[in-house]
Amino acid sequence: MSERLLRWICTGAVTGALITACPGAQAVPAPAPGPGERPVSQLLTDLQRLYRSAERAAQTYHTTGEKLKKQRARAAELDRKLAKARASVHDSRGDAARFARQQYQGTTELSPYLRLLLARDPQRALDQGHVVRRAATNRAATVKRLVGGEKKADALAAEAKKALDTGAALAARQKKQRDQVDGRLKEVEELLSSLTPDQLAALRQAEETDTTAAQRQFVTPGAPSGSQARRAPSRQGDRALGYAVRQIGRPYEWGAEGPEKFDCSGLTQRAWAHAGREIPRTSQEQWAELRHIPLARLRPGDLVVYFPEATHVALYLGDGKVVQAPRPGARVKVSPIAANPVLGAVRPDPGGRAVHGYTPPRLPAGATAGSDLGYGSAQAPGATDSR
């Protein structure tokens, strides 16, 4: 085949199936389908993936924030110790300077041996010699204290500088992580803004279908949650849950710890702090540090943790439901416990006794309204929109 004919065949094949038969020719990849061309199931998967990516980044950000808070507290404590050490050195230097002036001016006492030889009253000389020896001991102690104080101050100064440098590095890392979270959430916003109202409605329907299927294992008689509706919380759990219910309708904002806005672990931490129990800030730390309990023993106020990376958390309400701050664009609401893949549960007060005569908290109208994935603030519970 001539070179001209081969070139002609390859050129014409761009618009047909012969392109794959041309020696050396490369197939042009088909463009990725836009949001309007993807099936709803794929859109839901993509949205969940983006949210999980954002939550992982947010957890990393929060963890660094907690380290930074502890580091700043340590730096402040070292500064206080350093100031105290320097004040001690200053006093010791003053005492040493006073002794040096006395020595230079010749105002120091004679040696005890010479005083004894020249004294008319040997007993009195012996008594005064004791005072002189004590003064000499005090001078030696002052010098020792000065040298030791300077060494301690130098060590504290080096440690304080190291703590300050570590804090600066953590602050820079946290800023970078915040930018990463913002980038992930921007991807979510771009995906949602590209969808039509019909697609959003179909997306919600698909979400509800998936949740209903997953929820069956928690509400079917004999399943793990079969007797949970009859369990009573501890006194602290009751107070924590009551606080969370009163926040229904408040907007989600990642990094927020209340009182006007919350992210998922900000809500759980604040609720239990209101009940008098301090718990870690992030869902991953809550999962790692609090007492794990079987799902079959869930009681109101316990924390339900989600996803393999423990990147989401909610408070158990009872009867297979939770109170949670779901996602950006949503508000604090009541959701099925299976609204997200359940990892497990933890109890902040494992020694707390169940209260007698427990009455579940009264939920506001619209407490379950809106998507658990956060499709927009317009879906907030109607009874609390005025907040």
Side-chain angles (χ1 to χ4, degrees), residues 6 17 36 139 209 224 249 264 278 281 314 331:
L6 179 61
R139 293 187 185 113
T209 299
C264 65
E278 293 296 330
R281 170 62 178 89
R331 299 194 179 220

Side-chain angles (χ1 to χ4, degrees), residues 27-59:
V28 178
E37 300 171 348
R38 277 180 279 176
V40 172
S41 60
Q42 183 61 49
L43 288 174
L44 183 60
T45 300
D46 291 345
L47 187 58
Q48 291 171 335
R49 175 182 55 79
L50 289 173
Y51 273 131
R52 287 185 63 184
S53 177
E55 285 182 328
R56 283 195 296 268
Q59 288 293 319

Side-chain angles (χ1 to χ4, degrees), residues 24 32-33 57 108 140 168 186 195 207 218 237-238 250 266 275 278 280-281 304 316 325 330 335 337-338 350 367 370:
T108 54
K186 186 177 180 180
L195 301 179
E207 175 194 354
F218 293 95
D238 187 23
R250 296 196 185 276
E278 293 296 330
R281 170 62 178 89
V304 181
Y316 187 64
S335 305
I337 191 175

Side-chain angles (χ1 to χ4, degrees), residues 81-82 84-85 89 146-158:
K81 290 182 178 180
L82 180 58
K84 185 176 180 180
V89 168
L146 173 60
V147 173
E150 288 178 335
K151 289 182 178 179
K152 182 178 180 180
D154 289 343
L156 284 171

Side-chain angles (χ1 to χ4, degrees), residues 89-285:
V89 168
H90 181 270
D91 293 341
S92 297
R93 284 176 177 169
D95 291 340
R98 177 168 55 82
F99 291 146
R101 286 195 301 272
Q102 290 175 349
Q103 183 72 29
Y104 175 75
Q105 294 168 356
T107 58
T108 54
E109 301 291 344
L110 295 173
S111 70
Y113 180 71
L114 185 59
R115 178 180 292 278
L116 180 62
L117 291 177
L118 299 178
R120 294 179 181 180
D121 185 349
Q123 183 59 46
R124 183 180 180 185
L126 287 172
D127 293 340
Q128 290 178 340
H130 173 71
V131 174
V132 172
R133 286 194 298 274
R134 187 169 62 184
T137 301
N138 288 341
R139 293 187 185 113
T142 297
V143 173
K144 183 177 180 180
R145 186 169 65 251
L146 173 60
V147 173
E150 288 178 335
K151 289 182 178 179
K152 182 178 180 180
D154 289 343
L156 284 171
E159 193 173 357
K161 183 180 182 304
K162 182 179 179 180
L164 188 63
D165 292 342
T166 301
L170 285 171
R173 186 192 306 172
Q174 191 186 38
K175 182 181 182 302
K176 182 177 180 181
Q177 291 165 350
R178 184 183 185 92
D179 293 341
Q180 290 175 342
V181 178
D182 289 338
R184 301 292 188 275
L185 294 178
K186 186 177 180 180
E187 292 181 57
V188 173
E189 292 174 1
E190 289 175 350
L191 174 58
L192 291 175
S193 63
S194 68
L195 301 179
T196 66
D198 289 342
Q199 287 176 312
L200 286 174
L203 197 59
R204 175 180 292 186
Q205 181 62 45
E207 175 194 354
E208 292 176 352
T209 299
D210 286 355
T211 300
T212 300
Q215 185 74 2
R216 290 195 186 100
Q217 63 175 310
F218 293 95
V219 297
T220 301
S225 64
S227 61
Q228 289 166 9
R230 296 188 294 274
R231 291 186 183 276
S234 65
R235 188 171 302 279
Q236 283 186 310
D238 187 23
R239 293 187 63 191
L241 183 59
Y243 178 89
V245 168
R246 291 193 295 275
Q247 311 316 308
I248 290 175
R250 296 196 185 276
Y252 176 104
E253 181 177 291
W254 85 265
E257 302 173 2
E260 298 300 326
K261 300 178 180 180
F262 299 90
D263 65 10
C264 65
S265 56
L267 176 64
T268 55
Q269 183 195 44
R270 184 97 175 191
W272 272 94
H274 177 79
R277 174 79 165 88
E278 293 296 330
I279 64 174
R281 170 62 178 89
T282 71
S283 60
Q284 291 176 333
E285 291 173 318

